[in-house]
Amino acid sequence: MSESDSQPLEGTTVGIFLAPAGSEEIEFTDPKAAVADAGATVDVLGSETGEAQTVNNDLEWSDSYDVEKAFTEVAANDYGALIVPGGAVGADTLRTDENGVELLRQHLEDGKPAGVICHGPWALIEAGVVDGRTLTSYHSLQTDVRNAGGEWVDEEVVVDDGLVTSRNPDDLEAFCETIVDEFAAASE
Amino acid sequence: MSESDSQPLEGTTVGIFLAPAGSEEIEFTDPKAAVADAGATVDVLGSETGEAQTVNNDLEWSDSYDVEKAFTEVAANDYGALIVPGGAVGADTLRTDENGVELLRQHLEDGKPAGVICHGPWALIEAGVVDGRTLTSYHSLQTDVRNAGGEWVDEEVVVDDGLVTSRNPDDLEAFCETIVDEFAAASE
């Protein structure tokens, strides 16, 4: 394998959150594929193992995917990076799982990178890790982000000390490129 | 008509918000019926007139209802009371309508009563009227409410100076009784 074909996330395990219902499908599948294509091992994490039905555009049911490990079965030490997708209902549900929120909080407190998109940043607010950070999100969350002490900016992708955020599915190309870069940089 | 049959909201015009899609059906229909049964004239208000499809339990499509007046066509002076239903996606959308949020802000600033349930309080946060108030909401919003300066409490119905809030559809009986009482008290 030549250097240009090297796998930047070889040896990195990435956890990607998936709500029991209502995560935005493409915000789950695209980042998952991007880090897997870059060589990462990926675990799908959720409140409980089993089928989780995703949506398109917040309200149209789409395909189901398998939650492979429950938040209660894993620890922050198990992952080099985490990803949190949006979908209004899915993200609203994920923020209510104390174990998922604590995993994210500990992970970021340990200085490790994460990619959080669209309505996903509600979990960051819940984890209490927004204060003093610059980030973006779906535009409806900007007041919540500011009230949590964050600086909200309207850009397709924002990086703040390993925390990668984007606004919506239209930003996925930039989001996926940036999480691979940031996750790789952190694993060097 | 005897005094016991009198209509406590006779002469009161109530505006009830409805998102273009994703408002929780029963949180729209039950309060609407309660104030209408109490004698109120009710206007259904939204971003634009026409059909709006509601949901059950956030993600199951239900019936469509007619938005009768756009937020741009009305003023706070037109209403004695306002109601904002939940539904995660509907409430997430309503908070992004500047005209709807401004109507709610002006209404509450004028000291008039409102009933806001479930995910509806995001519109209160957006309107900047939560600071210093005691309220409840769907449990997922409690951190957003606290970060906005509100005191969040876990009760089926909370009244703070005419602002009536409840947590979820299970609270609708208490919510509907209380909004009728508060709207009537304010119209005396």
Side-chain angles (χ1 to χ4, degrees):
Chain A
M1 190 182 281
S2 72
E3 191 172 350
S4 64
D5 293 331
S6 70
Q7 294 276 279
L9 297 182
E10 190 75 45
T12 297
T13 303
V14 177
I16 182 164
F17 286 26
L18 184 61
S23 287
E24 187 75 18
E25 182 177 37
I26 200 170
E27 293 174 356
F28 167 73
T29 54
D30 273 17
K32 183 172 184 285
V35 295
D37 287 349
T41 300
V42 184
D43 284 349
V44 181
L45 309 178
S47 299
E48 50 186 54
T49 55
E51 278 208 347
Q53 195 171 359
T54 63
V55 294
N56 293 321
N57 298 313
D58 279 332
L59 276 172
E60 302 292 345
W61 287 118
S62 191
D63 290 343
S64 289
Y65 297 88
D66 199 37
V67 173
E68 297 159 338
K69 295 183 180 175
F71 293 129
T72 51
E73 297 174 59
V74 302
N77 282 342
D78 299 339
Y79 298 100
L82 293 176
I83 300 170
V84 184
V89 174
D92 182 63
T93 304
L94 281 173
R95 76 184 298 184
T96 68
D97 187 303
E98 291 178 13
N99 299 298
V101 168
E102 174 58 20
L103 178 69
L104 185 62
R105 191 195 64 73
Q106 186 64 55
H107 177 87
L108 287 164
E109 196 167 88
D110 292 344
K112 290 185 289 186
V116 186
I117 186 166
C118 203
H119 294 83
W122 275 326
L124 298 171
I125 293 171
E126 210 60 44
V129 297
V130 167
D131 192 27
R133 285 194 186 256
T134 300
L135 66 159
T136 192
S137 67
Y138 192 66
H139 64 108
S140 64
L141 276 68
Q142 61 185 287
T143 300
D144 297 333
V145 167
R146 291 191 182 109
N147 286 343
E151 181 174 352
W152 190 89
V153 292
D154 188 13
E155 296 173 14
E156 66 174 358
V157 63
V158 177
V159 182
D160 182 326
D161 194 23
L163 175 62
V164 181
T165 51
S166 284
R167 299 168 301 187
N168 58 55
D170 293 340
D171 297 336
L172 274 167
E173 189 175 339
F175 179 74
C176 290
E177 284 179 14
T178 307
I179 59 173
V180 169
D181 289 348
E182 289 293 317
F183 294 179
S187 67
E188 280 172 0
Chain B
M1 190 184 281
S2 71
E3 191 172 348
S4 63
D5 294 331
S6 69
Q7 295 276 281
L9 296 181
E10 190 75 45
T12 298
T13 304
V14 177
I16 183 165
F17 285 27
L18 185 61
S23 287
E24 187 73 19
E25 182 177 36
I26 200 170
E27 294 174 356
F28 168 73
T29 53
D30 273 16
K32 182 173 184 284
V35 297
D37 287 349
T41 301
V42 185
D43 284 350
V44 181
L45 310 178
S47 298
E48 51 185 53
T49 55
E51 279 207 348
Q53 196 170 357
T54 63
V55 294
N56 294 321
N57 298 313
D58 278 334
L59 276 171
E60 300 293 345
W61 287 118
S62 191
D63 290 343
S64 290
Y65 297 88
D66 199 37
V67 173
E68 298 160 337
K69 295 182 180 176
F71 293 129
T72 51
E73 297 174 59
V74 301
N77 283 341
D78 298 339
Y79 298 100
L82 294 176
I83 299 168
V84 184
V89 174
D92 183 63
T93 304
L94 280 172
R95 75 183 299 184
T96 68
D97 188 303
E98 290 178 16
N99 299 298
V101 169
E102 174 57 20
L103 178 69
L104 184 62
R105 191 196 65 72
Q106 186 65 56
H107 177 85
L108 287 165
E109 197 167 87
D110 292 345
K112 289 186 290 187
V116 186
I117 185 166
C118 204
H119 293 83
W122 276 326
L124 298 171
I125 292 171
E126 209 59 45
V129 297
V130 167
D131 192 26
R133 284 192 187 258
T134 299
L135 66 158
T136 192
S137 67
Y138 192 66
H139 64 109
S140 64
L141 277 67
Q142 60 185 287
T143 300
D144 297 334
V145 167
R146 292 192 183 108
N147 286 343
E151 181 174 353
W152 189 87
V153 292
D154 188 13
E155 295 173 14
E156 67 174 359
V157 63
V158 178
V159 182
D160 183 327
D161 195 22
L163 176 62
V164 180
T165 50
S166 285
R167 299 168 303 188
N168 58 56
D170 293 339
D171 297 336
L172 273 168
E173 189 176 340
F175 180 74
C176 290
E177 284 179 13
T178 307
I179 60 173
V180 169
D181 288 349
E182 289 292 318
F183 295 180
S187 68
E188 279 169 3

